[in-house]
Amino acid sequence: MIGSGTASIDWDFFSWPAVPELGLEIRNKDAKVQIAINSRDVYRDAPATDHTVFIHFREGDVARAEWLAQQVGLQPIGPVECGW
């Protein structure tokens, strides 16, 4: 139990897998997954009672992000946002 405080966990410096059915090759750059704990945003400025997963990817690679979410039974809940 982490309580009601906000936090985040970041994973980076890994590769996105190839997704042959979508014509996507392995990508060794622009890959990051971030979990915002008890927050709706990556800066922890929007408190929430649950957690949000952010998938950081190269511009124009929405299909890969959607595919990744589907692998764990999820789907995007908002529009693509420009980030860092």
Side-chain angles (χ1 to χ4, degrees), residues 33-52:
V33 175
Q34 185 174 32
I35 299 175
I37 299 167
N38 294 326
S39 180
R40 287 276 173 252
D41 70 326
V42 295
Y43 304 108
R44 300 181 300 278
D45 291 331
T49 59
D50 57 2
H51 318 304
T52 306

Side-chain angles (χ1 to χ4, degrees), residues 6-80:
T6 60
S8 67
I9 301 171
D10 300 1
W11 287 275
D12 53 11
F13 301 110
F14 61 90
S15 298
W16 290 125
V19 186
E21 63 269 26
L22 297 177
L24 300 172
E25 297 179 2
I26 192 169
R27 170 134 337 117
N28 295 315
K29 185 177 177 189
D30 303 317
K32 183 174 182 175
V33 175
Q34 185 174 32
I35 299 175
I37 299 167
N38 294 326
S39 180
R40 287 276 173 252
D41 70 326
V42 295
Y43 304 108
R44 300 181 300 278
D45 291 331
T49 59
D50 57 2
H51 318 304
T52 306
V53 176
F54 294 89
I55 302 169
H56 299 267
F57 56 91
R58 182 179 289 181
E59 183 178 354
D61 209 1
V62 175
R64 188 184 306 270
E66 291 173 345
W67 175 86
L68 182 62
Q70 292 169 359
Q71 301 313 296
V72 293
L74 300 174
Q75 63 183 10
I77 60 171
V80 172

